[in-house]
Amino acid sequence: MPRLPWPLPAVLAWALAWGLFRALLGAGMAPALALLMASAAGALASVLGSTLWRRALIALGFPMASLLSGAAQWPAWAWLLPLALLALVYPLNAWRDAPLFPTPADALRGLATQAPLPAGARVLDAGCGLGHGLQALRWMYPQAEVHGVEWSWPLRLVCALRCPWARVRQGDMWRTDWRPYALVYLFQRPESMARAAAKAEAELAPGAWLVSLEFETTALRPVARLQGADGRPVWLYQAPFRKA
Ligand SMILES: C[S@@+](CC[C@H](N)C(=O)[O-])C[C@H]1O[C@@H](n2cnc3c(N)ncnc32)[C@H](O)[C@@H]1O
């Protein structure tokens, strides 16, 4: 999607929220509900912003303006709205980077044969979402220490509940140190793969693996390409990496 120059995304999102608010009031909706719906629309439109701050500004613009202008009578609970919107913007920020598609249950079948790891080896699902990739990794490597890092707090919380045997934390996978890991697993998007290859080259120890579901990196030559049970390819790269 072409990126709109700033502040056009904000202006568009606020106009959308105001338009919706007016239309809902016109249709006879209770003002508090109209406020909620229009604010939610503004928060969804925050994906148009290119940084987290801009997204927060887009999401908060309409509710704050409606308050300050007196256009809407805020109910008591409405003071929680900005917090709720920020909580929404946060996961949207990560979804924009890689939408939440989970790893299918047996997508990694055959991985442990191609990339055997010693018991206790550390594996990382970088961007672990709700934990489906962690489960597939555990199935392949029952004796490994499975770690996950996830940008979105709500997803991280649900993931930790679903995978109590894994070490799941909130964080940015690009700022996470990959050096302790014998295998780093990714299910991201094609645009992320060049950056992932560069990070793997810089940080993974000799013998360690970079494994990507579906998306390959053209920067490195794969050691193997598996065909997961659902037909998606699984790309395996091993350090020291060979250039493509
Ligand atoms: C396609 S989903 C894959 C989820 C999981 N790995 C799986 O295979 O089931 C990508 C996940 O990466 C997360 N993500 C995107 N960018 C991230 C970043 N910079 N740091 C941490 N997580 C990120 C998203 O929030 C999303 O949950």
Side-chain angles (χ1 to χ4, degrees):
M1 188 170 64
R3 184 152 288 171
L4 298 171
W6 185 257
L8 208 54
V11 175
L12 281 176
W14 297 337
L16 169 91
W18 274 109
L20 184 65
F21 180 60
R22 293 271 161 227
L24 293 175
L25 285 183
M29 186 179 275
L33 195 55
L35 178 69
L36 199 61
M37 303 277 279
S39 300
L44 286 175
S46 71
V47 292
L48 294 172
S50 55
T51 64
L52 186 57
W53 284 112
R54 286 180 177 181
R55 281 170 220 146
L57 207 63
I58 292 175
L60 294 180
F62 166 73
M64 294 317 287
S66 69
L67 167 74
L68 296 175
S69 68
Q73 292 294 312
W74 277 41
W77 54 259
W79 292 102
L80 290 172
L81 197 58
L83 280 181
L85 291 177
L86 281 179
L88 191 62
V89 168
Y90 207 61
L92 283 174
N93 186 44
W95 287 338
R96 197 172 157 279
D97 229 17
L100 183 72
F101 292 119
T103 294
D106 46 7
L108 304 185
R109 187 184 291 171
L111 179 62
T113 312
Q114 280 289 341
L117 297 179
R122 289 185 183 172
V123 305
L124 172 73
D125 183 354
C128 59
L130 291 170
H132 296 84
L134 294 176
Q135 285 167 335
L137 286 168
R138 189 182 192 221
W139 188 46
M140 281 295 105
Y141 301 107
Q143 296 191 315
E145 202 179 278
V146 181
H147 293 227
V149 61
E150 169 54 49
W151 177 254
S152 152
W153 275 107
L155 295 186
R156 175 250 176 261
L157 288 174
V158 178
C159 180
L161 288 174
R162 293 186 71 239
C163 308
W165 35 265
R167 300 181 190 199
V168 183
R169 64 178 190 84
Q170 188 279 330
D172 183 352
M173 65 182 181
W174 302 118
R175 291 179 182 221
T176 300
D177 186 359
W178 289 5
R179 279 173 297 186
Y181 296 102
L183 185 151
V184 173
Y185 171 70
L186 293 171
F187 181 25
Q188 290 296 318
R189 55 179 194 154
E191 298 89 310
S192 310
M193 292 312 298
R195 190 172 178 188
K199 185 166 170 64
E201 277 191 289
E203 296 182 9
L204 290 185
W209 297 87
L210 177 70
V211 175
S212 171
L213 178 62
E214 193 156 349
F215 306 116
E216 66 176 312
T217 169
T218 50
L220 306 176
R221 197 178 321 160
V223 172
R225 175 190 191 272
L226 302 177
Q227 198 71 41
D230 70 335
R232 288 171 210 250
V234 182
W235 301 93
L236 275 70
Y237 307 89
Q238 188 176 29
F241 299 103
R242 291 174 300 163
K243 291 285 183 192

